[in-house]
Amino acid sequence: MIDRLVQAAEVLSARGRVVVLTGAGISVESGIPDFRSEEGLWTRYDPYEYATVSAFRSEPRKVWRMLAEMEQVLDRARPNPAHAAVARLEAAGVVEGVITQNIDGLHQAAGSRNVVEFHGCHRTLTCLACGRAFGRDEVRSRGVPPPCDCGALLKPDVIFFGEEIPSRALEESHRLVRACRVLLVVGTSAEVAPASHMPWLAKRAGAIVVEVNLRPSAITATITDLHLAGPAGEVVHRLAEHVLAGRGAAARTG
Ligand code: APR
């Protein structure tokens, strides 16, 4: 593994313009279960019953039972070394931006500044009946599920199946992947479109695809150039260490 890690660090250092695409796997070591692994959320909640916008509209209280469980986990979660490493690579000018499928806000909490929340976030909520918007903290005192002033139940601004990806997030993601020279893909099964299109767009634009995942994903055998198999918290941290050490050495030798 070490030589592949060094090889990947050399690719990131030599090419620069790195964009990071992350999925639930990067936050598992922060205590947030992913969706499709053995312990994943979808092994306990059927996404067709709990994660579609039509399910929310027809049975909001039922969907809020899952959302409330997620909220408790999200409120306790803190960034792990993988989130911190991505933020350090951005601060060093290696990473240009992060496209995350996660709604947990951990990239921003770790210090990443250019973060595209492809599937929205849980920090704000909207009423599907009257359209009013609220901050999460603004409605905490209303209990779970939180009602809108109009009486309908509020929905977190996360993108459910059947909802459009926000156009600004889609446009910014396309801009980032088309201009990147390396796409670092961390902790995603790469099974859910249109997020799963991003690695293909990057590849078509000439980028090298480096993947960090415990196991192969839907792109590993096709477009991944370098697969670093292991936990994101350890692998991304060590990858950043190698890149930043190399840059430090280069700076000293001028
Ligand atoms: N380190 C690295 N990779 C990990 C780790 C870890 N500690 N733990 C899990 N993984 C990997 C798994 O092997 C898997 O490939 O992370 C991936 C998680 O895949 P999913 O559970 O499918 O999550 P994700 O790819 O983010 O799902 C995409 O689907 O259900 C929707 O909206 C939801 O944003 C989500 C989207």
Side-chain angles (χ1 to χ4, degrees):
M1 159 70 117
I2 185 68
D3 54 341
R4 295 170 78 76
L5 203 74
V6 171
Q7 204 184 342
E10 284 165 359
V11 166
L12 269 68
S13 301
R15 293 175 70 96
R17 307 200 65 171
V18 178
V19 168
V20 186
L21 170 67
T22 64
I26 198 172
S27 297
V28 166
E29 290 156 85
S30 295
I32 304 175
D34 66 10
F35 296 96
R36 293 172 183 82
S37 295
E38 308 75 63
E39 306 293 314
L41 196 69
W42 295 157
T43 61
R44 287 182 290 114
Y45 292 99
D46 179 343
Y48 292 100
E49 282 186 52
Y50 286 90
T52 65
V53 66
S54 53
F56 186 88
R57 285 187 185 281
S58 57
E59 297 184 275
R61 285 190 184 284
K62 174 181 173 185
V63 174
W64 259 106
R65 279 201 297 276
M66 175 195 71
L67 293 173
E69 180 189 309
M70 285 178 76
E71 280 265 323
Q72 285 184 349
V73 172
L74 293 172
D75 285 347
R76 287 195 303 267
R78 296 291 175 270
N80 67 54
H83 299 103
V86 170
R88 284 171 49 222
L89 287 171
E90 183 188 39
V94 176
V95 162
E96 303 221 325
V98 182
I99 302 166
T100 187
Q101 300 171 82
N102 303 337
I103 61 166
D104 54 35
L106 293 183
H107 283 297
Q108 296 94 319
S112 285
R113 300 166 66 87
N114 187 14
V115 180
V116 179
E117 292 182 308
F118 204 78
H119 290 155
C121 73
H122 79 112
R123 290 183 305 276
T124 53
L125 305 94
T126 302
C127 177
L128 296 184
C130 74
R132 263 204 72 175
F134 296 83
R136 185 70 194 98
D137 294 338
E138 200 182 340
V139 295
R140 268 188 204 286
S141 59
R142 299 188 185 188
V144 174
C148 175
D149 298 348
C150 77
L153 293 184
L154 294 171
K155 173 184 163 296
D157 289 339
V158 298
I159 304 303
F160 280 54
F161 289 111
E163 284 188 289
E164 293 290 312
I165 303 298
S167 53
R168 209 180 66 76
L170 206 51
E171 284 155 23
E172 177 61 5
S173 300
H174 282 160
R175 186 191 70 76
L176 282 169
V177 294
R178 288 198 171 110
C180 77
R181 303 201 64 221
V182 180
L183 185 72
L184 177 60
V185 182
V186 184
T188 181
S189 59
E191 291 182 18
V192 176
S196 57
H197 299 160
M198 298 304 129
W200 294 90
L201 292 173
K203 191 75 183 182
R204 208 170 295 148
I208 296 277
V209 177
V210 177
E211 188 179 8
V212 177
N213 197 315
L214 285 176
R215 57 188 75 87
S217 71
I219 61 168
T220 309
T222 47
I223 56 173
T224 294
D225 295 293
L226 262 174
H227 175 212
L228 306 179
E234 176 200 334
V235 174
V236 181
H237 171 75
R238 288 172 59 194
L239 178 60
E241 291 286 294
H242 278 285
V243 172
L244 298 174
R247 289 169 71 85
R252 279 192 298 282
T253 52

